[in-house]
Amino acid sequence: MKPNTGFGTVKWAVGLFGMSVCFFLSGTVYAADKAEPTLTEAQFEQAKGLYFQRCAGCHGALRKGATGKSLEPKKTRKKGQKRLEKIIALGTEKGMNNFDDIFTKEEIKIMATYIQMEPPVPAEMSLSLMKERWKTHIPPEDYPTKPEHSLNWENFFLVILRDEGKIGIIDGDTKEVVVKVDTGYAIHVLKESSDGRFWFTQGRDGKMSKIDLWMNPPKVVADVQVAYDARDVAVSHYGEWKDKYVIGGAYWPPHFVILDAKTMEPLKVVSTRGVNVDGEYVNEARVAAIYNTPHAPTWIVAIKELGQLWQVDYSDIDNLRIEQIDSHKFLHDGFFDPTQRYFQIAANASNRMEIMDSVERKFVASIETGKMPHPGPGANWIDPECGPVAGTTHLGEGKITVWGNDPKDHADKAWKVCYSIETDGPGLFIRTHPKSDYVWADQTKHPEPEVQQSVVVFDKKTREIVKVIRVTEFPKAVAVHQEFNKDGTEVWVSVWARGEGDRAKGEIVIYDAKTLEEKARIKGLETPTGKFNVYNRVHHVT
Amino acid sequence: MKPNTGFGTVKWAVGLFGMSVCFFLSGTVYAADKAEPTLTEAQFEQAKGLYFQRCAGCHGALRKGATGKSLEPKKTRKKGQKRLEKIIALGTEKGMNNFDDIFTKEEIKIMATYIQMEPPVPAEMSLSLMKERWKTHIPPEDYPTKPEHSLNWENFFLVILRDEGKIGIIDGDTKEVVVKVDTGYAIHVLKESSDGRFWFTQGRDGKMSKIDLWMNPPKVVADVQVAYDARDVAVSHYGEWKDKYVIGGAYWPPHFVILDAKTMEPLKVVSTRGVNVDGEYVNEARVAAIYNTPHAPTWIVAIKELGQLWQVDYSDIDNLRIEQIDSHKFLHDGFFDPTQRYFQIAANASNRMEIMDSVERKFVASIETGKMPHPGPGANWIDPECGPVAGTTHLGEGKITVWGNDPKDHADKAWKVCYSIETDGPGLFIRTHPKSDYVWADQTKHPEPEVQQSVVVFDKKTREIVKVIRVTEFPKAVAVHQEFNKDGTEVWVSVWARGEGDRAKGEIVIYDAKTLEEKARIKGLETPTGKFNVYNRVHHVT
């Protein structure tokens, strides 16, 4: 599926005007010399598409760097074609993936050349263009007034089938796939209406869809494109604004968009370009993540490159109040404490978890954890010594860090590291359930199959790993992301098959949350990643 | 005096790489053909400087247009060299000045070519660069603890001597020039500390200076450059933050900067790039004006191209609260109502005065006035029928519009036009004093000498013009800007002499506020414009 990347109307001058292309960037002029790396127009287009899909997330569309290093031509040209090809193929010790099993040899060559050329600047997107791209499939007045099926939709799992461009809706009671809803190009995340009936998706291509779980089968009722590259979405859940607005956050253009949650009509666009916490202007200041705050009519919008958390008040969008809360770079993803007041978010380039108070709308604390924390939807539980705690996995090392998060009754432990656990490899997601004795963490980012295919389970009381579960042995597949079912008796883990020709052979493996034994496998899922249990997400069960 | 325009480090490729320069702008590629207009490097530099000084204010550094039209090459090239030269020389009926008495014939030619070439993008300015450009001349611990002179400094007038790069400090009692303080390139405006002792200037080149009136003579105690092109400044006057912060607002880079008012150390930079009220991203979203709000710990920052008033809360600058209040394009300058709660500001491209509530931090009303309202520091008075009213002059027509501004006791008249008065020509400034029966307005923007050299005086009660005063008959001089003295018995009007070789022959003409007869002339002032009486500005006497 080819995303609309915002480059559509651009006719590239490369190859047409050849050797003396000049670029005016702020404060400097770069005049390309005869040795300038070149691609054919077709190769350039191919590289541009691959870069957007595989590289821009970490390195940025303008290649200024964020989670990944800066790839500006002044830097890449020093390395040269051969060295760049090697880095792309094999990765680096500093955290860059190997791409020799993702790109062909020819693609690696083209990419090494492409990143030595000036990055093209993608287009802006106006509110009026978004309105043109807004489609109503079923108008709100035709929505059913009660569920059209008798399934237990509160125990549905909504599963991102990334490369299939679909959301798999799986009945948590029967383990059957109810429907695969076509949402288009790779969905990054989805969030729920206050009752869990409607789900709002955000695609990596900036397309947002609204799904109604009451329909038989569940359907997309409206969609709209709000960006060319995007990552998150949230709904207004507070007071009189409950389910009134949806917000979508974008990587490019760097902005967020407030939409009517009923119709999906885009209403307002706010740029997130700004000055970072070091006092430097950032053109590509991307919205990493967005969260609804249960105690205020606001969303938290994490601006990755600024190192700022913007608390955006939706109670009056014509006089839009925003608190720009300074924390650290580069912000990524986070979760609330059990009281839903304090928000805990990774600043992964700073090796910290940042804590902010959504009631006072201000920064609270910064906790040094490990190398590049990445909690995903996170985990909160009670520790016998520290009291209420939360934990995170890390992208940069095999470590789980646990900190106190109860400033009211455990003030001396709050926002300090309680303990850490060494695992075999770096991971993406950590998860638990109040009824479970255990915490689960994946190790997806480790290069070795036996590690990346295994998840670790540790005991909340003893703080010890009680089991390492090999979820799959399928070649090139990885185990990723855990989600509990509604009553906390099962843990669902995704198996992402990524070998050529094997992408549809993904599955979800279901474990008994008490015995840790395998219970079932749901097969035939193309690249399943994040899973969202309706009840747990509505009730903030972490 | 040559301003640092932020282009200093740029080596222009023009003339070096000649004919096949390509530009990648959002969504389009422009490939210059053989017929591309060219300048030598020296001519390009000259045109760049002239454009910054004379054109960028209305047309924008990136030439997207604001008060003036868009001058992007795709538009200017359609007109061609000859037509552009004619427009620059003679002006247009739509409000463009004639420049044949400002530019030489050769300069007009160069400018006509320059605006057909792609606009160079000036540099950004980081907080660390500002800190490098921060200079302390006298440290705060060495400031005097009481006035070092016995002059009546509360009746000082601080006068912008624009092309001299100085602030003239004139004793309102004796009419003598106390000192001319060297503040560098063209000052645009200055604002006071809460007691009127310290004054903070904003230069068009982004240099901010702090002046201490208690010193003998008054001196600049610190300065700093916060931008390459700037327009306004304000001080924090509220509660415990009284005189703690200064804010400077810039045209380029589009941002505002919060500084320590004691030392002038820059503390925080906030970008004003954003999405305008029509839903389109604006890269050059400039700070037109900034005001301290007497009833809240905030400043109002008017973002010209966005059509938004940002109410910036300085009570916690690490968790910076901003209300982005939607109004209309393009915002310019404004003033408070007599209660200091409602702020009244011109949206000159929309032919409206916009009203916002600084207590509730929200938009209130929009009043259609006349063509391009421009009130300067404004005027409030009591009308026999409408009660409390305010008025504005217009850039686009000879008209004074008066509206009700007392929603409490005259709700039916509030934020509606009460009446308007026709004058002979468009003007820049309107002014009155509570003790005066009259309101004064200039007609500076009219092309004819007899009009632009005259100010009109009308009666608050009868609403009729009682006198048109010819302030000067000096060739090419204009009368501009009125300011009352401390006790409201005198009105001071500037005479701006602009003929070649005559620039130092400006003067201030002083009138008796009751008899309207001339009392005195203060001569030998180079291009005097805005005048700030210490007492009236501290006490918000409008």
Side-chain angles (χ1 to χ4, degrees), chain B residues 2 16 33 114 127 145 172 240 257 330 352 354 418 429 436 498 507-508 521:
Chain B
K2 202 186 165 191
L16 299 173
D33 62 23
Y114 178 76
L127 184 63
T145 51
E240 64 187 278
V257 181
F330 295 111
R352 291 164 179 275
E354 306 291 312
C418 174
F429 299 106
S436 171
R498 54 188 177 143
E507 52 187 335
I508 290 172
R521 287 185 180 241

Side-chain angles (χ1 to χ4, degrees), chain A residues 145-162:
Chain A
T145 52
K146 54 183 195 209
E148 292 180 340
H149 53 70
S150 55
L151 302 173
N152 179 17
W153 60 273
E154 286 202 313
N155 195 29
F156 278 0
F157 285 70
L158 287 86
V159 183
I160 295 171
L161 303 174
R162 191 179 185 282

Side-chain angles (χ1 to χ4, degrees), chain A residues 117-346:
Chain A
M117 299 167 78
E118 285 294 333
V121 178
E124 301 299 329
M125 187 182 274
S126 67
L127 183 64
S128 60
L129 183 58
M130 295 174 202
K131 286 188 180 177
E132 282 175 30
R133 294 182 178 177
W134 166 43
K135 283 179 212 140
T136 304
H137 304 293
I138 299 166
E141 58 270 26
D142 294 342
Y143 293 174
T145 52
K146 54 183 195 209
E148 292 180 340
H149 53 70
S150 55
L151 302 173
N152 179 17
W153 60 273
E154 286 202 313
N155 195 29
F156 278 0
F157 285 70
L158 287 86
V159 183
I160 295 171
L161 303 174
R162 191 179 185 282
D163 291 1
E164 202 173 347
K166 289 183 177 167
I167 296 296
I169 297 177
I170 302 178
D171 185 330
D173 293 358
T174 64
K175 276 71 173 168
E176 291 196 356
V177 177
V178 177
V179 66
K180 289 181 184 175
V181 178
D182 191 350
T183 48
Y185 184 76
I187 292 300
H188 192 76
V189 80
L190 47 166
K191 300 275 177 76
E192 74 289 350
S193 64
S194 60
D195 61 359
R197 170 185 173 179
F198 296 105
W199 284 75
F200 299 87
T201 68
Q202 179 62 273
R204 281 218 31 210
D205 59 350
K207 185 173 158 192
M208 296 175 68
S209 299
K210 177 181 179 180
I211 298 169
D212 182 359
L213 294 187
W214 283 11
M215 292 183 179
N216 191 12
K219 281 185 192 69
V220 170
V221 292
D223 57 54
V224 58
Q225 191 187 12
V226 299
Y228 302 109
D229 190 1
R231 288 298 183 281
D232 213 349
V233 53
V235 184
S236 61
H237 281 189
Y238 186 85
E240 63 188 276
W241 305 275
K242 189 182 274 191
D243 299 320
K244 184 171 182 183
Y245 298 119
V246 179
I247 180 174
Y251 266 21
W252 192 274
H255 66 207
F256 61 83
V257 181
I258 300 173
L259 307 97
D260 182 330
K262 201 164 193 177
T263 63
M264 295 299 274
E265 180 185 6
L267 302 173
K268 191 180 184 84
V269 188
V270 178
S271 175
T272 53
R273 282 152 157 131
V275 175
N276 70 14
V277 287
D278 302 327
E280 310 227 327
Y281 174 67
V282 182
N283 189 29
E284 192 175 356
R286 306 181 292 182
V287 176
I290 309 183
Y291 303 87
N292 171 61
T293 60
H295 295 301
T298 60
W299 296 294
I300 295 167
V301 180
I303 322 286
K304 186 184 278 289
E305 284 79 6
L306 298 188
Q308 286 182 333
L309 294 153
W310 288 13
Q311 191 161 353
V312 177
D313 193 310
Y314 49 68
S315 67
D316 183 357
I317 67 169
D318 296 326
N319 302 286
L320 192 71
R321 173 180 171 180
I322 301 176
E323 260 84 2
Q324 299 183 352
I325 299 167
D326 288 350
S327 64
H328 289 85
K329 296 183 300 187
F330 294 113
L331 294 169
H332 197 74
D333 57 356
F335 59 109
F336 278 95
D337 78 305
T339 70
Q340 311 287 320
R341 171 175 181 167
Y342 297 99
F343 187 67
Q344 316 164 112
I345 186 166

Side-chain angles (χ1 to χ4, degrees), chain A residues 280-482:
Chain A
E280 310 227 327
Y281 174 67
V282 182
N283 189 29
E284 192 175 356
R286 306 181 292 182
V287 176
I290 309 183
Y291 303 87
N292 171 61
T293 60
H295 295 301
T298 60
W299 296 294
I300 295 167
V301 180
I303 322 286
K304 186 184 278 289
E305 284 79 6
L306 298 188
Q308 286 182 333
L309 294 153
W310 288 13
Q311 191 161 353
V312 177
D313 193 310
Y314 49 68
S315 67
D316 183 357
I317 67 169
D318 296 326
N319 302 286
L320 192 71
R321 173 180 171 180
I322 301 176
E323 260 84 2
Q324 299 183 352
I325 299 167
D326 288 350
S327 64
H328 289 85
K329 296 183 300 187
F330 294 113
L331 294 169
H332 197 74
D333 57 356
F335 59 109
F336 278 95
D337 78 305
T339 70
Q340 311 287 320
R341 171 175 181 167
Y342 297 99
F343 187 67
Q344 316 164 112
I345 186 166
N348 55 30
S350 303
N351 303 325
R352 292 164 178 276
M353 289 296 297
E354 307 289 312
I355 314 300
M356 62 159 283
D357 179 342
S358 69
V359 172
E360 296 285 336
R361 306 186 191 198
K362 66 178 189 185
F363 178 79
V364 170
S366 181
I367 307 167
E368 283 192 70
T369 60
K371 213 170 150 193
M372 304 186 81
H374 187 289
N380 292 310
W381 67 93
I382 309 294
D383 180 81
E385 189 201 327
C386 295
V389 294
T392 186
T393 34
H394 293 82
L395 293 178
E397 61 180 311
K399 180 177 169 180
I400 290 157
T401 301
V402 180
W403 62 90
N405 66 359
D406 177 19
K408 194 159 162 273
D409 295 326
H410 295 79
D412 58 323
K413 306 288 186 191
W415 319 132
K416 289 173 196 146
V417 172
C418 174
Y419 67 95
S420 62
I421 296 177
E422 206 179 306
T423 67
D424 291 329
L428 288 166
F429 298 106
I430 187 168
R431 198 76 172 145
T432 188
H433 188 282
K435 290 187 187 159
S436 171
D437 296 332
Y438 307 114
V439 181
W440 295 58
D442 63 26
Q443 304 177 117
T444 316
K445 296 295 282 180
H446 194 274
E448 295 299 325
E450 58 269 36
V451 182
Q452 65 180 199
Q453 296 182 340
S454 300
V455 297
V456 297
V457 183
F458 67 93
D459 189 299
K460 291 178 181 175
K461 287 207 180 65
T462 66
R463 301 174 177 179
E464 301 217 332
I465 293 173
V466 293
K467 195 167 184 182
V468 177
I469 302 174
R470 181 81 178 251
V471 181
T472 182
E473 296 189 26
F474 193 80
K476 294 191 180 177
V478 295
V480 62
H481 193 271
Q482 304 86 188

Side-chain angles (χ1 to χ4, degrees), chain A residues 9-13 17 20-24 26-27 29 31 121-124 126-128 268-271 273-275 278-281 283 308 316-326 361-363, chain B residues 9-13 17 20-24 26-27 29 31 121-124 126-128 268-271 273-275 278-281 283 308 316-326 361-363:
Chain A
T9 60
V10 182
K11 283 190 183 166
W12 296 102
F17 302 98
S20 55
V21 174
C22 300
F23 297 89
F24 290 73
S26 44
V29 170
V121 178
E124 301 299 329
S126 67
L127 183 64
S128 60
K268 191 180 184 84
V269 188
V270 178
S271 175
R273 282 152 157 131
V275 175
D278 302 327
E280 310 227 327
Y281 174 67
N283 189 29
Q308 286 182 333
D316 183 357
I317 67 169
D318 296 326
N319 302 286
L320 192 71
R321 173 180 171 180
I322 301 176
E323 260 84 2
Q324 299 183 352
I325 299 167
D326 288 350
R361 306 186 191 198
K362 66 178 189 185
F363 178 79
Chain B
T9 59
V10 182
K11 282 190 183 168
W12 297 101
F17 300 101
S20 55
V21 174
C22 300
F23 296 87
F24 290 75
S26 44
V29 169
V121 179
E124 302 298 330
S126 67
L127 184 63
S128 59
K268 191 179 184 87
V269 188
V270 177
S271 176
R273 282 152 157 132
V275 176
D278 301 327
E280 309 227 329
Y281 174 67
N283 189 29
Q308 286 182 335
D316 183 359
I317 67 170
D318 296 326
N319 302 287
L320 193 71
R321 173 180 171 181
I322 300 176
E323 260 85 2
Q324 299 183 353
I325 299 166
D326 287 350
R361 307 187 191 199
K362 67 177 189 187
F363 179 80

